[in-house]
Amino acid sequence: MRKTRSMTAAAIGLGIALAATGCAGGSDGSSGGQGTLTLWTNAMEGRGAQYWRDAAKEYQSLHPDVTIKIQSVQNEDLDGKLQNALNSNSAPDIFLQRGGGKMQAMVNAGQIQALELTDTDKANVGEAALEGVSIDGKVYAMPLDTQPEGIYYSKNLFKKAGITSTPTTMDELKDAVAKLKAIKVAPIAVGAKDAWPAAHWYYNLALRECSQDTMAEAAKSLTFDDPCWTKAGEDLAELLDAEPFQKGFLTASSQQGAGSSAGMIANRKAAMELMGNWNPLVIADLTPDKKQLPDLGWFPFPAVPGGKGDPTAIMGGAGGYSLSKNAPKEAFGFLQFVVTKDQQEAYAEAFDTIPVNKDAQGVVTEPYNISALQAFNKAAYSMQFLDTMYGQNVGNAMNIAVVNLMAGKGSAADIVKDVKAAAEKG
């Protein structure tokens, strides 16, 4: 899962205990005891959390000397809680890894292990997925799914509005916005209260405006001098002129409740939402009958005229799990277990996602996931989410600056200015 900006929240840090012994935390041996592993995930309720319970139970049946305890942490709180645990040497053995600059910082601090994958592991995961979780030739997380981002939409609302094909350019997207307004439907839902969902519009416009080399170089040097960074902000400002987002989008959350952006899609109050491929599960959990919308579709982010990025490039990456520095070998064994074919099929079905194990991709049958998988396979390249790729400081500054632009409190130039200021601070 993404960032994995996923799963509706029941409570912060809800613990799902899989055994009566041991306690959360303690990869340094200070707690947990012999053979007890701890895993932190952001899967809070429903099928996702159940997958981890089932996987742990099955692994324990194969390895009776191992006890696995799962702790679910609400997505928006996971990074801070995890960083505190890593810094205090009380990190879980296994935890959700965001990748990019955040993973680089953990590597630099000596807080996570390099994984020694076998040939079987590499075959299960695939080269493309491993590329996104490797630094200097070493693998630091076990990928579980691919996460192509795009625009989820209601086929029924498109039909009702007279939209006969999905938009392939920003002008076509604006036309769709106008037609949806005409039938009194919010064209696009966004949870700007959480900042990152709003910022993803800027990320994708930057992906279209900036070349692959420019974006990759920025990850190394944290320089944002290319005019494409400002142009992406100007593109977003132009889209805002069409008033595409729902009323009150600045105070809406992305995933919690019927009033969230995902909730608006689930209840047919909005037609589109830009999001990673964890979104269908979130939407399904927010429908009145807790079932997926039968007309949910997906299309890639539209092209921009004259952009230096490849129009097939896709924002996303691979979601995975890392091992803290003192995690025992049994923790790695569990990661090897969850990328096997049967487990990957179960994971894909539980999270409504695209597994990295190609032998398990036969379970991808939902039209929106098939569309996303096809676009991902055709993409000239994929780029990690920018607040992950460029690290927490730069990423947070970028996210906040984008929200300021959307709120009428900043400009495209201000996004670049604020990002540069954060980069200078390191």
Side-chain angles (χ1 to χ4, degrees):
M1 300 179 304
R2 149 64 161 153
K3 293 197 159 199
T4 334
R5 311 207 143 161
S6 167
M7 307 317 129
T8 52
I12 295 172
L14 169 68
I16 303 176
L18 297 181
T21 58
C23 56
S27 61
D28 61 347
S30 60
S31 61
Q34 184 70 32
T36 298
L37 305 178
T38 55
L39 182 149
W40 285 10
T41 178
N42 63 352
M44 296 300 297
E45 294 179 328
R47 292 178 294 162
Q50 187 61 45
Y51 165 76
W52 287 112
R53 285 195 289 266
D54 292 344
K57 185 176 180 180
E58 188 168 344
Y59 188 75
Q60 288 169 184
S61 72
L62 298 172
H63 304 274
D65 57 332
V66 176
T67 298
I68 303 175
K69 287 185 67 80
I70 308 292
Q71 183 170 347
S72 291
V73 182
Q74 205 282 323
N75 184 68
E76 310 305 328
D77 299 295
L78 180 61
D79 286 2
K81 185 172 183 178
L82 177 62
Q83 195 59 59
N84 288 338
L86 288 166
N87 292 344
S88 62
N89 203 34
S90 60
D93 299 300
I94 307 167
F95 58 86
L96 178 69
Q97 176 58 255
R98 308 291 197 186
K102 294 177 181 179
M103 185 172 78
Q104 179 73 65
M106 294 176 192
V107 172
N108 292 347
Q111 293 172 329
I112 58 175
Q113 298 181 23
L115 308 181
E116 300 293 335
L117 271 61
T118 66
D119 289 343
T120 299
D121 298 333
K122 292 174 183 177
N124 283 339
V125 174
E127 187 176 338
L130 287 175
E131 190 176 317
V133 291
S134 297
I135 297 174
D136 296 331
K138 293 183 178 181
V139 177
Y140 287 96
M142 188 73 85
L144 297 183
D145 62 353
T146 59
Q147 300 173 346
E149 179 163 71
I151 297 177
Y152 288 88
Y153 74 103
S154 165
K155 294 178 182 179
N156 289 352
L157 291 177
F158 266 42
K159 185 177 181 180
K160 185 178 179 182
I163 303 167
T164 56
S165 60
T166 55
T168 59
T169 67
M170 290 303 291
D171 283 343
E172 290 177 5
L173 181 65
K174 291 171 191 173
D175 287 344
V177 165
K179 289 177 179 178
L180 288 160
K181 281 186 170 184
I183 63 166
K184 309 298 184 186
V185 168
I188 304 171
V190 64
K193 178 183 178 182
D194 295 330
W196 60 263
H200 279 216
W201 282 91
Y202 177 77
Y203 297 177
N204 280 274
L205 287 165
L207 183 70
R208 295 286 177 259
E209 292 288 2
C210 301
S211 70
Q212 182 182 14
D213 287 346
T214 295
M215 298 188 82
E217 177 56 34
K220 298 176 183 176
S221 62
L222 292 183
T223 55
F224 299 87
D225 295 325
D226 194 290
C228 68
W229 296 107
T230 302
K231 185 68 172 68
E234 292 170 349
D235 291 344
L236 180 55
E238 286 182 23
L239 177 62
L240 284 166
D241 288 340
E243 297 184 348
F245 301 120
Q246 82 272 29
K247 185 178 179 180
F249 72 90
L250 289 169
T251 56
S253 67
S254 58
Q255 297 171 351
Q256 286 118 14
S260 67
S261 54
M264 291 189 72
I265 300 295
N267 293 281
R268 303 189 186 281
K269 302 294 185 184
M272 292 180 274
E273 184 183 24
L274 173 66
M275 196 56 68
N277 77 324
W278 57 87
N279 206 34
L281 184 59
V282 179
I283 292 170
D285 282 343
L286 294 172
T287 59
D289 61 1
K290 301 289 184 182
K291 294 180 181 178
Q292 189 54 268
L293 294 177
D295 66 314
L296 188 66
W298 183 98
F299 62 92
F301 196 87
V304 301
K308 295 179 182 177
D310 192 293
T312 68
I314 205 159
M315 186 64 63
Y321 280 74
S322 286
L323 300 183
S324 56
K325 64 179 181 180
N326 294 317
K329 65 181 186 300
E330 290 84 1
F332 180 56
F334 184 63
L335 290 184
Q336 292 176 299
F337 173 71
V338 294
V339 294
T340 57
K341 180 177 181 289
D342 289 350
Q343 284 298 309
Q344 279 276 281
E345 288 175 345
Y347 184 90
E349 290 177 340
F351 287 100
D352 205 355
T353 190
I354 301 168
V356 291
N357 189 322
K358 290 188 176 180
D359 290 339
Q361 287 179 352
V363 300
V364 179
T365 57
E366 297 292 351
Y368 46 83
N369 277 337
I370 291 173
S371 296
L373 180 58
Q374 289 172 343
F376 188 78
N377 288 338
K378 290 177 184 175
Y381 51 89
S382 64
M383 196 69 62
Q384 284 187 323
F385 300 106
L386 300 191
D387 56 351
T388 296
M389 187 171 178
Y390 299 142
Q392 191 163 353
N393 290 342
V394 169
N396 286 347
M398 183 179 288
N399 292 354
I400 293 168
V402 172
V403 173
N404 285 340
L405 182 148
M406 288 185 163
K409 298 177 181 177
S411 66
D414 288 332
I415 295 175
V416 176
K417 177 175 67 72
D418 292 352
V419 165
K420 284 183 175 180
E424 288 174 5
K425 294 177 182 177

